Amino acid sequence: MLTIVTALLCEARPLISDFNLKKVPESHPYPIYRNDELNLVISGIGKIASASATAYVHALNGSCNHSAWLNIGLAGHSDYELETGFLAIKIIDQSCHQSWYPSIIFEPSCQTGMLITVDQVGKKYHPNYGVDMEASGFYATACRFTTSELVQCFKVVSDNPQTPVRKIAANEASKLISDQMEHISSIIDALGQLQTEIDTPNQTPPFFNEIMALCKMTHSEQLLLREKLKRLFLLNPNHEMDFSLFVKPHQSKDILFVLEKLISEQKVLFQ
Amino acid sequence: MISTIYLENEVRDHPVTKALLLRFQNATVIPCDRYTEVFNRKAQNFRLQKKKPSLILARKHHGFVMKAPDSYGIGGTQNYYFSHMLNCIYDCRYCFLQGMYRSAHYVLFVNYEDFTRSMETILDEHPDDEVWFYSGYDCDSLAFDPVTCFTDFILPFFKKYDRARLEFRTKSTQIRSLLKHIPLSNCVVAFSLSPENITQSLEAKTPPLINRIESMRRLQKAGWNVGIRFEPLIFSDDYKTRYGELFSIVASQLDMSRIHSISVGAFRVPKPYFKTMVRLYPDEKLFAGPLEEEDGTISYQQDLQEEMLEWCSQQIKQFAPACHHYQCRN
Ligand code: SF4
């Protein structure tokens, strides 16, 4: 699952429509939209709002080791042209002077750039940096829930020294984001691929349930059973389990002992 | 090959940094205050980062050269190790680095001069001894040498200090720089070798066995001391056949009378690192094998380990009877 966090509905609109996201009917403190693969939450403006909404969605979805997170929004930039989309490679929080360095493990189709998260938007641009109001709060929070390679911030330049900060109409903000859909989709795809790479769903090893049905096992014995079955089938994926080896009355310790013996009988070969 | 460089502000003007930035002109350079802001922070995945590691240029502030554990070494009494780099361009599945670090980025400490200064101090502390300095603990000594040019820096130092001994430990074929230099009698280039099937299954991105042997031949021919490290020994049910084949190739391709030293070593990983390695690669057959824990270390079951070490040692005595031969159990 990937969660997109935007500050405003107007930034989210093109994403909701392109990804065919549906509003979650229950009442939540933040508007949440969803399809089978994506969540989108609208946090409100500012790093605290972004951090809170991120934490809220995490809590709502339950723990998932390798969730992916993408903050999408507008930013000012001292050097980039208007409408440039870029992935953040460094995020500085202006008020606490802390820095984060998102690792981009894929080849991004868009530009990359550094970003300063500020509490109040001013007229000042920082050479070589973009300026936003959410990234630091979002990034620091999302990294508590997943590995940092799966957390990215994508910003679209809405103002620069030539076209300074001004009030941006909702439809203008939506257009700035919708013009970047190709880049956004490719980031989402790339994060999805990385997730698949490290996602080892807690697959139940073969025969786990059948053996569990034989006798009662404590939690730690269940973990051992899982581990032993996993090793057995790693060494020999075609192993045929002979249940007559588990003598009656079935005892968990005996079963684990038999499995350890079976493991030791498997050949270890490297091709 | 390197598309992102994190650069500590403190080393921005160091000559090694300047040379590297010139070399990787197209890389994105991201400034940072300390490399630890990027490297090994929480919530990093070694396996993912290994897909596209970045280069981090940093200054090392202390601990340039460390005393090696008692069991370490090839016969010397004073043994030290050093790491001018953290992490490796290769991806051996048995490598403890993947358990030790959360990051797979390459950290290069560009202040090479502080390493040799530290070595000088250590040499002064042992005025009557030969002192061994082992490179290649946290990285492969030579694999990244075309980029780091570390050998060009370190060899003149060892030329000056006859009493200092240097071991490069490598699986690489990056010997061009060594071949440019006059061979040093106090330097050993030690190649880690495994049977070809182990290289293919467990030593991703490393050069094939035959290329490593070719590099060893060329170094021997040029007059360099070449060592062989059969480490770590990897168990398989056909290990005698596989290692037997490896030993025959080695014996037939290299001038054994001129091999500096041979060592065999067991596969051993501290338990916490091992747990991380299994978490990163839960489907790796190596980790499902006949391993056990003893005193916080994971290794092959004691009997099996002894059997492998003994069998390999016996074979080595036969094909290289005159060669210095060591067993490393730790
Ligand atoms: S060559 Fe050495 S340092 Fe590099 S990955 Fe392999 S074992 Fe680790």
Side-chain angles (χ1 to χ4, degrees), chain B residues 65-82 96 132 134 137 169 268 270 327-330:
Chain B
V65 181
M66 309 291 283
K67 187 108 186 92
D70 288 345
S71 52
Y72 207 85
I74 46 171
T77 51
Q78 302 300 338
N79 296 311
Y80 290 82
Y81 69 92
F82 64 96
F96 75 102
W132 277 91
Y134 294 91
Y137 180 76
R169 177 75 70 95
R268 291 172 71 81
Q327 278 190 6
C328 303
R329 286 183 155 75
N330 293 305

Side-chain angles (χ1 to χ4, degrees), chain B residues 46-117:
Chain B
F46 189 97
R47 181 171 175 174
L48 283 184
Q49 289 195 0
K50 200 76 195 166
K51 290 171 73 72
K52 196 173 167 237
S54 302
L55 176 61
I56 303 175
L57 302 179
R59 172 182 293 282
K60 194 170 173 75
H61 290 262
H62 47 75
F64 299 100
V65 181
M66 309 291 283
K67 187 108 186 92
D70 288 345
S71 52
Y72 207 85
I74 46 171
T77 51
Q78 302 300 338
N79 296 311
Y80 290 82
Y81 69 92
F82 64 96
S83 299
H84 65 292
M85 188 171 161
L86 310 181
N87 275 331
C88 178
I89 62 169
Y90 302 142
D91 194 10
C92 303
R93 199 49 60 242
Y94 52 71
C95 182
F96 75 102
L97 293 175
Q98 60 197 337
M100 186 159 78
Y101 297 132
R102 283 187 280 255
S103 276
H105 297 318
Y106 314 136
V107 180
L108 180 68
F109 297 114
V110 297
N111 51 327
Y112 300 165
E113 63 282 359
D114 289 324
F115 287 87
T116 45
R117 215 168 286 144

Side-chain angles (χ1 to χ4, degrees), chain B residues 272-285:
Chain B
Y273 297 175
F274 184 79
K275 279 173 96 169
T276 306
M277 289 155 74
V278 175
R279 213 174 315 128
L280 286 172
Y281 296 95
D283 294 330
E284 175 52 59
K285 196 193 284 183

Side-chain angles (χ1 to χ4, degrees), chain A residues 90 99-101 103-107 143 147-149 197 200 230-231 234-235 267-271, chain B residues 28 30-32 37 41 43-45 48-49 51-52 105 197-198 201 235-238 282-283 285 288:
Chain A
K90 174 174 180 175
S99 303
W100 295 266
Y101 299 83
S103 273
I104 302 174
I105 301 298
F106 49 91
E107 285 307 328
C143 285
T147 184
S148 60
E149 296 79 13
E197 185 130 338
T200 39
K230 177 130 206 195
R231 280 172 60 205
L234 262 178
L235 292 173
K267 283 205 177 326
V268 179
L269 293 170
F270 296 97
Q271 293 317 306
Chain B
T28 304
I30 306 171
C32 63
E37 288 180 311
R41 270 174 87 152
Q44 302 203 349
N45 185 294
L48 283 184
Q49 289 195 0
K51 290 171 73 72
K52 196 173 167 237
H105 297 318
N197 68 320
I198 298 297
S201 303
F235 172 76
S236 62
D237 277 271
D238 57 353
D283 294 330
K285 196 193 284 183

Side-chain angles (χ1 to χ4, degrees), chain A residues 232 235-236 239 245 258-268, chain B residues 237:
Chain A
L232 178 62
L235 292 173
N236 181 4
H239 179 76
L245 291 172
V258 169
L259 284 174
E260 191 56 45
K261 191 158 177 299
L262 283 174
I263 293 169
S264 68
E265 287 165 2
Q266 303 309 311
K267 283 205 177 326
V268 179
Chain B
D237 277 271

Side-chain angles (χ1 to χ4, degrees), chain A residues 43-258:
Chain A
S43 65
I45 291 174
K47 66 183 183 196
I48 293 174
S50 192
S52 319
T54 302
Y56 183 81
V57 173
H58 171 74
L60 195 68
N61 287 347
S63 64
C64 152
N65 271 344
H66 301 129
S67 52
W69 297 81
L70 179 60
N71 170 221
I72 298 177
L74 304 184
H77 204 289
S78 64
D79 312 284
Y80 288 176
E81 289 190 5
L82 290 186
E83 300 172 20
T84 304
F86 66 97
L87 268 173
I89 46 175
K90 174 174 180 175
I91 301 164
I92 301 179
D93 186 294
Q94 192 187 38
S95 56
C96 71
H97 302 290
Q98 209 179 327
S99 303
W100 295 266
Y101 299 83
S103 273
I104 302 174
I105 301 298
F106 49 91
E107 285 307 328
S109 60
C110 59
Q111 278 188 251
T112 58
M114 298 187 283
L115 194 58
I116 296 181
T117 300
V118 297
D119 294 336
Q120 298 273 304
V121 175
K123 294 230 159 67
K124 198 173 151 219
Y125 291 91
H126 302 259
N128 300 322
Y129 281 85
V131 181
D132 90 324
M133 293 185 71
E134 285 82 30
S136 68
F138 159 80
Y139 190 82
T141 308
C143 285
R144 289 184 179 272
F145 310 138
T146 189
T147 184
S148 60
E149 296 79 13
L150 298 177
V151 183
Q152 302 293 337
C153 294
F154 179 78
K155 298 287 158 177
V156 185
V157 178
S158 56
D159 57 87
N160 60 17
Q162 292 73 47
T163 315
V165 182
R166 68 215 175 278
K167 193 143 181 59
I168 294 174
N171 58 356
E172 194 188 341
S174 296
K175 176 148 186 341
L176 282 167
I177 300 289
S178 73
D179 286 349
Q180 300 292 330
M181 281 314 292
E182 224 171 279
H183 291 316
I184 292 170
S185 296
S186 93
I187 295 166
I188 290 173
D189 287 349
L191 290 175
Q193 275 171 27
L194 293 178
Q195 271 181 305
T196 325
E197 185 130 338
I198 51 169
D199 232 3
T200 39
N202 222 349
Q203 257 172 10
T204 306
F207 301 107
F208 178 79
N209 292 328
E210 290 87 333
I211 295 176
M212 281 286 291
L214 297 179
C215 67
K216 266 208 155 84
M217 286 199 178
T218 64
H219 181 66
S220 59
E221 285 170 340
Q222 288 178 33
L223 290 177
L224 275 175
L225 173 65
R226 208 174 261 281
E227 185 243 354
K228 287 186 193 306
L229 285 171
K230 177 130 206 195
R231 280 172 60 205
L232 178 62
F233 285 92
L234 262 178
L235 292 173
N236 181 4
N238 302 319
H239 179 76
E240 290 189 10
M241 191 64 82
D242 176 2
F243 275 76
S244 69
L245 291 172
F246 305 127
V247 284
K248 287 182 183 165
H250 294 125
Q251 303 270 346
S252 53
K253 286 195 174 46
D254 297 343
I255 291 175
L256 294 171
F257 181 80
V258 169

